[in-house]
């Protein structure tokens, strides 16, 4: 059996940290929990707001529930800071609930990586803000990376 790994590997540079962040963004935007879980160690520890998880099965279950509630999910992540095996990420995502109300979630994540490039710890803090349809940034056909996000939203 081959050893799992996911380049780039720590220690990170500004370039490799950005690559890691955008790879995570792209994976999460697929909303494929089975694929997303493979970026994490088998025993990865998560705190997502007030939810505490450990291990890939719990990650998959959490993501499936999340994406079943958050319709129209579109995410952008940007590198905030990094050190040897840690990356901090600023993110924004938009989604709508069962009533059709649109939301934008603003937040920060703190990631710690194993030597093999898999994430072994993820902490997320976020806030949900109601938005109107016309306030949306990440509409269909728009590249999330091309949206100008001003300092007002940092």
């Amino acid at each position: 059996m081959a050893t799992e790994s996911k380049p780039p590997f720590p220690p990170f540079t500004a370039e490799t940290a950005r690559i890691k962040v955008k790879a995570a963004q792209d994976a999460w935007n697929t909303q494929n929990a089975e694929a997303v879980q493979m970026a994490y160690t088998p025993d990865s520890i998560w705190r997502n707001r007030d939810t505490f998880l450990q291990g890939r099965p719990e990650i998959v279950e959490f993501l499936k529930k999340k994406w079943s509630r958050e319709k129209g999910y579109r995410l952008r992540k940007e590198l905030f800071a990094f050190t040897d095996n840690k990356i901090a990420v600023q993110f924004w995502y938009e989604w709508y609930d069962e009533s059709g109300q649109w939301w934008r979630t603003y937040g920060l994540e703190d990631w710690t990586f194993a030597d093999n490039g898999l994430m072994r710890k993820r902490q997320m803090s976020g806030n949900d803000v109601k938005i109107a349809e016309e306030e949306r940034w990440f509409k269909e056909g728009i590249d999330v990376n091309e949206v100008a996000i001003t300092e007002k939203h940092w």
Side-chain angles (χ1 to χ4, degrees):
M1 178 179 190
T3 303
E4 289 182 287
S5 66
K6 188 154 187 73
F9 306 111
F12 297 113
T13 64
E15 179 184 354
T16 61
R18 275 190 201 88
I19 290 168
K20 204 69 152 172
V21 169
K22 290 304 180 177
Q25 170 189 293
D26 295 345
W28 278 61
N29 275 329
T30 69
Q31 298 178 51
N32 181 338
E34 298 292 338
V36 169
Q37 73 167 326
M38 300 311 293
Y40 302 92
T41 61
D43 61 349
S44 187
I45 298 168
W46 279 30
R47 180 190 55 76
N48 198 92
R49 301 180 195 232
D50 62 351
T51 301
F52 294 81
L53 311 169
Q54 184 166 12
R56 287 179 178 164
E58 290 184 16
I59 290 168
V60 169
E61 180 182 355
F62 173 84
L63 291 174
K64 285 181 177 180
K65 286 180 184 174
K66 168 188 174 57
W67 290 323
S68 73
R69 286 188 313 271
E70 296 175 351
K71 308 292 186 199
Y73 179 93
R74 303 247 356 250
L75 165 72
R76 167 129 164 226
K77 292 181 184 275
E78 292 294 340
L79 177 64
F80 188 76
F82 71 96
T83 63
D84 296 334
N85 71 334
K86 295 180 183 239
I87 296 176
V89 174
Q90 186 170 12
F91 68 86
W92 309 261
Y93 66 86
E94 294 176 349
W95 55 281
Y96 63 91
D97 62 24
E98 68 235 2
S99 74
Q101 172 64 56
W102 279 96
W103 299 84
R104 183 176 302 125
T105 301
Y106 294 81
L108 296 168
E109 291 179 308
D110 166 18
W111 302 344
T112 303
F113 291 86
D115 290 342
N116 65 358
L118 297 176
M119 195 182 304
R120 66 179 182 84
K121 181 178 68 79
R122 174 185 173 268
Q123 296 186 77
M124 180 278 227
S125 295
N127 299 297
D128 301 324
V129 177
K130 283 184 180 182
I131 59 172
E133 167 76 25
E134 50 280 356
E135 295 176 289
R136 291 182 55 217
W137 296 337
F138 307 139
K139 295 180 180 180
E140 289 303 314
I142 300 292
D143 180 346
V144 297
N145 294 307
E146 298 300 320
V147 174
I149 300 176
T150 65
E151 187 173 7
K152 172 183 174 183
H153 295 281
W154 298 343

